[in-house]
Amino acid sequence: RVGDRLRSVRLDKKYDLLSGRTGPKIFFDCGVCRTDADGRAQIVHGMMRLGGRDGGISRAKKIARLFMPGRELDLYVTAARVAEGALEVSSSAPPAAAAKKRRRASGVAG
């Protein structure tokens, strides 16, 4: 659910999308799984956005350095898109009003 705290570990730097189409992002192993149509478990990695499309790669690299691979940290769910199997995370807890609004927009009950 949106606002939940997850204990996470950043994935290796080779998975970073610092020049992604919708802006730079890094990925975390959050210990979340989902089941596909065949009933098989699929790992869902948490995605953290590092700024807008115009943020620049060098700025994104500086922010990404704060989250070293292999180090455990607490992240908070900011959006969950169940149909796509996508999970967005943030390093700070979302305010209660904003979390409620995002929860409705993402279609996740709670």
Side-chain angles (χ1 to χ4, degrees), residues 3-6 74-79 88-94:
D4 284 352
R5 184 178 66 168
L6 301 172
D74 290 331
L75 296 178
Y76 298 88
V77 177
T78 56
E88 286 190 35
V89 295
S90 172
S91 60
S92 58

Side-chain angles (χ1 to χ4, degrees), residues 37-55:
D38 298 329
R40 292 177 292 183
Q42 303 286 325
I43 296 173
V44 177
H45 294 299
M47 175 187 72
M48 179 185 286
R49 295 182 185 273
L50 299 179
R53 296 178 190 186
D54 304 325

Side-chain angles (χ1 to χ4, degrees), residues 5-100:
R5 184 178 66 168
L6 301 172
R7 197 77 179 143
S8 307
V9 176
R10 181 176 167 197
L11 295 177
D12 194 57
K13 294 178 183 182
K14 67 181 179 182
Y15 298 106
D16 294 351
L17 286 177
L18 298 180
S19 59
R21 191 183 68 193
T22 59
K25 33 190 125 18
I26 56 177
F27 294 88
F28 294 85
D29 183 3
C30 300
V32 176
C33 292
R34 67 181 180 97
T35 55
D36 62 9
D38 298 329
R40 292 177 292 183
Q42 303 286 325
I43 296 173
V44 177
H45 294 299
M47 175 187 72
M48 179 185 286
R49 295 182 185 273
L50 299 179
R53 296 178 190 186
D54 304 325
I57 294 175
S58 63
R59 180 178 175 270
K61 284 182 182 178
K62 288 178 186 174
I63 295 171
R65 273 190 229 133
L66 299 173
F67 304 100
M68 297 302 293
R71 192 180 84 192
E72 283 192 22
L73 60 146
D74 290 331
L75 296 178
Y76 298 88
V77 177
T78 56
R81 292 184 295 281
V82 178
E84 301 157 10
L87 185 68
E88 286 190 35
V89 295
S90 172
S91 60
S92 58
K100 190 173 185 181

